[in-house]
């Protein structure tokens, strides 16, 4: 789960990670009051969306007067912001964060992420702050200093020193940095984050560190014990069909193709997308109805797939292990009636009671249900069905 | 022979009396697995499915001499269950539970490594040695005895692949679902080492997916150390970047963990990578015929 910059900064503040004064607003009318409350004579007006590259897309403006704060807030609120991370459709900005200006001496990068290869979190720092860190990693990997943090030991001063001396900080700066990094580690660990990024981390004219930006991501599996984090979820940032699916414990990801897929199990679901592509089609979605698919989840699955107007055929690919295929077959017949499915449904059921399932589907004699003998046959028939429809 | 478990393995079920655990324990017993008891805190002294229930793993191991455990407890308690099994001296711990916080798994795995216990999973279907023992939720009937070792990150895709292997006229020695979480106990390499030394296993099918780099590590290992034929398939060739595809670990982060880079590494290591998931059985058959 991801959150906005202003929310990450709320968390930072709670753990003693220094941030500039700021306020989130949703109406441009509130901009002037927010800026007055923050004080000073220069403010940043920042679009709040879950994507990087906001500045380049015109979503971050520096205001030098209260009039400018209001002007920029009214321009940014409601704009469709397109960045390299939003996709071409962009995202509509509904929230703006107004932040007091900071006297910048130098910009750094500081981040922390779960390193899957080392199986522990890694803190990373770089003198190349304020630029895309992916670019630094690709072009000047030696400019990124990393320390792995064994969870059994936790974050220690030596970890911080290793980073700080790597950044060529002066002795008093090292001390400041150590406090900053320890606080950041606590914010990461205590909330089951899997990512935190500060880019840029700013060294101010008076040698203090302050988080000018903030990004955090969290382990979905741990949200049950972090209710404050779970409550930060912004539903505007989520695909509505994915939210709907999640309510029923289904995993749905919308894609751009026209062959709808309903599969039990994540690996089989990904493979089903792959084979559709291999047969010359384009998958419309990833949908895992769970290893133990039931008639009910299948019905819900149809409903969710059919919300996508691009879908021209549906490939149901179920391997019945513990679940019985005959039950799924009955579920499919029932569901196609209830959900009013009028496009071709290609059904491949294999595993427990597959033969009975095949008989049930054939005897039901429903015009748009096409049975397949195996995985490849099903994918081929689904792709052909779409081609027939689009002709 | 086979790897990790066989008909003599003595198995305890953690979370034994729960609804799901009861169902799957019955299925395991029906398959022939030697389940010697289980643990549900607070229900010690009861008999469940004809087997004794204990309050703690320590007592259960002491009384039964069990060496394998099957964990079927909810995610909030699963890491604790793994650590309890490790502390009780269990040698092979199979954790089926999906949805455990990664920070918990990280610590549980470190503890298992300290004692040398083998942790399989979490978020996996378990392990099966064909026609001997099944420890997990896999459908037993799919797995006919044979000479192919199977390692997979996914559940139903494991059954699909085993089914293809059997339909090609071959069979499975041991199949292990290693799980789809960002951090898992036993990896491809750990199992390749065991399959290398197992005379019953002639060839290996490995099924990977997007996310992480375990398949790339495996490719490097195979290139230097593994001479038995390997057929691989990597799921998620059409998956978009930055989106979690069902499994907590199945996500392309930035440009890392794509199917394409894994396929390339495996091909470079001499692995036969099936270009689509429907031809894995046929591919392994062809390779063994040539031998």
């Amino acid at each position: 789960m991801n959150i906005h910059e202003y929310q990450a900064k709320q968390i930072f503040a709670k753990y003693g990670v220094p941030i500039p004064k700021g306020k989130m607003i949703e109406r441009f009318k509130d901009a002037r009051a927010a800026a007055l409350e923050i004080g000073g004579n220069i403010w940043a007006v920042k679009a709040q969306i879950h994507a990087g590259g906001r500045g380049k897309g015109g979503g971050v403006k520096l205001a030098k007067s209260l009039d400018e704060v209001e002007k920029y807030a009214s321009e940014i609120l409601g704009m469709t912001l397109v960045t390299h991370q939003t996709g071409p459709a962009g995202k509509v900005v509904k929230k703006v964060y107004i932040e007091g200006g900071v006297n910048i001496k130098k910009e750094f990068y500081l981040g922390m992420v779960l390193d899957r290869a080392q199986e522990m979190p890694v803190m990373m720092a770089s003198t190349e702050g304020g630029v895309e860190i992916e670019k630094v990693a690709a072009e000047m990997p030696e400019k990124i200093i990393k320390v792995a943090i064994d969870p059994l030991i936790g974050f220690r001063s030596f970890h911080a020193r290793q980073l700080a001396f790597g950044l060529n900080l002066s002795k008093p700066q090292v001390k400041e940095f150590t406090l900053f990094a320890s606080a950041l580690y606590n914010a990461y660990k205590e909330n089951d984050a899997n990512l935190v990024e500060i880019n840029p981390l700013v060294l101010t004219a008076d040698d203090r560190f302050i988080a000018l930006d903030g990004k955090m991501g969290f382990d979905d599996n741990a949200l049950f014990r972090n209710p404050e984090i779970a409550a930060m979820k912004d539903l505007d940032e989520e695909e509505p069909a994915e939210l709907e699916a999640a309510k029923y414990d289904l995993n749905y990801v919308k894609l751009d193709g026209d062959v709808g897929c309903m599969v039990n199990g994540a690996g089989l679901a990904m493979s089903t997308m792959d084979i559709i592509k291999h047969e010359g089609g384009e998958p419309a979605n990833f949908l895992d109805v769970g290893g133990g698919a039931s008639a009910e989840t299948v019905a819900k699955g149809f409903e969710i797939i059919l919300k996508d107007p691009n879908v021209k055929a549906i490939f149901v690919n179920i391997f019945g292990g513990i679940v019985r295929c005959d039950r799924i077959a009955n579920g499919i017949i029932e569901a196609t009636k209830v959900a009013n499915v009028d496009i071709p449904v290609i059904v491949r059921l294999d595993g427990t009671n597959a033969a009975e399932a095949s008989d049930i589907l054939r005897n039901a004699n429903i015009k748009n249900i096409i049975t397949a003998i195996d995985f490849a046959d099903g994918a081929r028939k689904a792709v052909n069905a779409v081609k027939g429809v689009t002709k | 022979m086979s790897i990790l478990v066989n008909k003599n393995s003595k198995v305890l079920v953690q979370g034994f009396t729960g609804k799901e655990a009861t169902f799957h324990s019955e299925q395991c017993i029906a398959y022939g697995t030697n389940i010697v008891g289980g643990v549900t805190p607070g229900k010690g002294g009861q008999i469940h499915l004809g087997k004794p229930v204990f309050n703690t793993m320590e007592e259960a191991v002491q009384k039964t001499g069990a060496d394998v455990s099957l964990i079927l407890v909810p995610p909030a308690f699963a890491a604790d269950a793994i650590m309890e099994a490790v502390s009780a001296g269990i040698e092979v711990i199979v954790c089926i539970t999906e949805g455990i916080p990664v920070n918990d798994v990280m610590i549980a795995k470190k503890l298992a490594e300290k004692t040398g216990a083998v942790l399989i999973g979490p978020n996996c279907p378990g392990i099966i040695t064909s026609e001997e023992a099944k420890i997990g939720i896999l459908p037993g009937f799919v797995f006919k005895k044979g000479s192919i070792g199977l390692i997979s990150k996914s559940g139903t895709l494991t059954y699909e692949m085993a089914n293809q292997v059997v339909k090609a006229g071959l069979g499975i020695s041991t199949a292990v679902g290693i799980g789809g979480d960002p951090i898992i106990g036993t990896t491809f390499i750990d199992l390749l080492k065991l399959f290398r030394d197992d005379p019953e296993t002639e060839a290996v099918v490995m099924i990977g997916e997007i996310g992480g780099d375990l398949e790339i590590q495996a490719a490097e290992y195979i290139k230097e150390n593994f001479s038995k034929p390997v057929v691989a398939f990597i799921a998620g060739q059409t998956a978009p970047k930055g989106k979690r595809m069902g499994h907590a670990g199945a996500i392309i982060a930035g440009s890392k963990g794509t199917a394409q880079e894994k396929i390339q590494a495996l091909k470079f290591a001499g692995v036969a990578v099936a270009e689509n998931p429907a031809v894995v059985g046929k591919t392994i058959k062809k390779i063994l015929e040539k031998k």
Side-chain angles (χ1 to χ4, degrees), chain A residues 165-208:
Chain A
F165 285 107
L167 295 173
N168 276 322
L169 300 181
S170 69
K171 211 177 153 195
Q173 290 167 357
V174 170
K175 201 176 153 200
E176 279 289 318
F177 180 87
T178 302
L179 290 171
F180 189 100
S182 308
L184 190 67
Y185 175 80
N186 291 338
Y188 175 99
K189 183 178 168 283
E190 297 295 319
N191 296 293
D192 287 292
N194 53 22
L195 170 92
V196 52
E197 242 179 1
I198 301 175
N199 193 16
L201 164 69
V202 161
L203 181 66
T204 60
D206 56 350
D207 267 352
R208 300 170 78 86

Side-chain angles (χ1 to χ4, degrees), chain B residues 134-159:
Chain B
K134 150 178 127 132
I135 293 124
I137 60 172
L138 317 94
F141 71 93
V142 180
F143 299 85
K144 301 277 177 284
K145 200 152 194 70
S147 63
I148 310 298
L150 177 58
I151 316 170
S152 167
K153 273 188 172 175
S154 145
T156 45
L157 194 54
T158 308
Y159 321 153

Side-chain angles (χ1 to χ4, degrees), chain B:
Chain B
M1 282 227 351
S2 53
I3 66 164
L4 292 170
V5 297
N6 56 38
K7 59 180 183 295
N8 299 319
S9 301
K10 290 183 178 173
V11 184
L12 284 169
V13 180
Q14 294 177 255
F16 194 30
T17 57
K19 190 171 156 241
E20 290 283 308
T22 301
F23 174 76
H24 290 294
S25 298
E26 278 173 334
Q27 301 269 325
C28 289
I29 293 168
Y31 193 75
T33 309
N34 183 20
I35 289 182
V36 294
V39 168
T40 298
K43 294 200 173 171
Q46 296 183 10
I47 298 290
H48 185 62
L49 306 178
K51 317 283 178 190
V53 183
F54 302 94
N55 284 323
T56 68
M57 279 297 284
E58 189 181 72
E59 188 193 357
V61 170
Q62 242 172 36
K63 299 262 170 72
T64 63
D67 49 7
V68 175
S69 90
L70 169 62
I71 297 178
L72 287 160
V73 307
F77 315 108
D80 186 65
I82 295 170
M83 293 189 262
E84 187 180 5
V86 172
S87 303
I90 293 286
E91 287 162 27
V92 177
I93 302 160
V94 183
C95 184
I96 307 301
T97 309
E98 175 173 9
I100 311 176
V102 70
N103 281 337
D104 297 4
V105 177
M106 190 161 74
I107 290 170
K109 179 170 181 181
K110 296 225 176 299
L111 186 68
E113 278 169 351
K114 232 174 95 184
T115 67
V118 173
L119 169 64
I120 295 169
N123 189 11
C124 78
I127 172 169
I128 185 165
T129 289
S130 301
E131 293 161 33
E132 288 198 36
K134 150 178 127 132
I135 293 124
I137 60 172
L138 317 94
F141 71 93
V142 180
F143 299 85
K144 301 277 177 284
K145 200 152 194 70
S147 63
I148 310 298
L150 177 58
I151 316 170
S152 167
K153 273 188 172 175
S154 145
T156 45
L157 194 54
T158 308
Y159 321 153
E160 166 72 34
M161 293 309 174
N163 198 39
Q164 281 187 29
V165 167
V166 170
K167 278 187 175 159
L170 300 162
I172 303 290
S173 55
T174 300
V176 189
I178 58 176
D181 270 2
I183 294 181
I184 50 174
T186 301
T187 63
F188 290 107
I189 293 184
D190 301 324
L191 294 167
L192 285 167
K193 285 178 185 164
L194 297 174
F195 279 131
R196 183 182 65 180
D197 299 334
D198 175 30
E200 209 177 273
T201 300
E202 242 186 300
V204 170
V205 170
M206 65 174 266
I207 308 298
E209 65 188 25
I210 54 164
D213 72 340
L214 293 178
E215 294 83 352
I216 292 174
Q217 291 177 26
E220 282 159 13
Y221 173 82
I222 290 167
K223 195 164 169 282
E224 302 298 330
N225 307 291
F226 200 80
S227 57
K228 294 180 182 180
V230 180
V231 171
F233 175 73
I234 305 294
Q237 294 167 34
T238 49
K241 284 181 182 176
K243 278 277 184 182
R244 208 168 61 88
M245 305 302 280
H247 291 154
I251 181 164
I252 301 169
S255 54
K256 294 266 190 230
T258 62
Q260 283 69 19
E261 70 180 20
K262 295 181 184 199
I263 289 168
Q264 205 178 359
L266 287 162
K267 280 187 175 164
F268 185 66
V271 172
V273 182
E275 60 174 19
N276 87 65
V279 298
V280 169
K282 286 176 199 152
T283 308
I284 192 101
K285 175 82 174 165
K286 224 180 275 169
I287 288 174
L288 288 180
E289 275 169 355
K290 268 192 215 153
K291 255 182 83 184

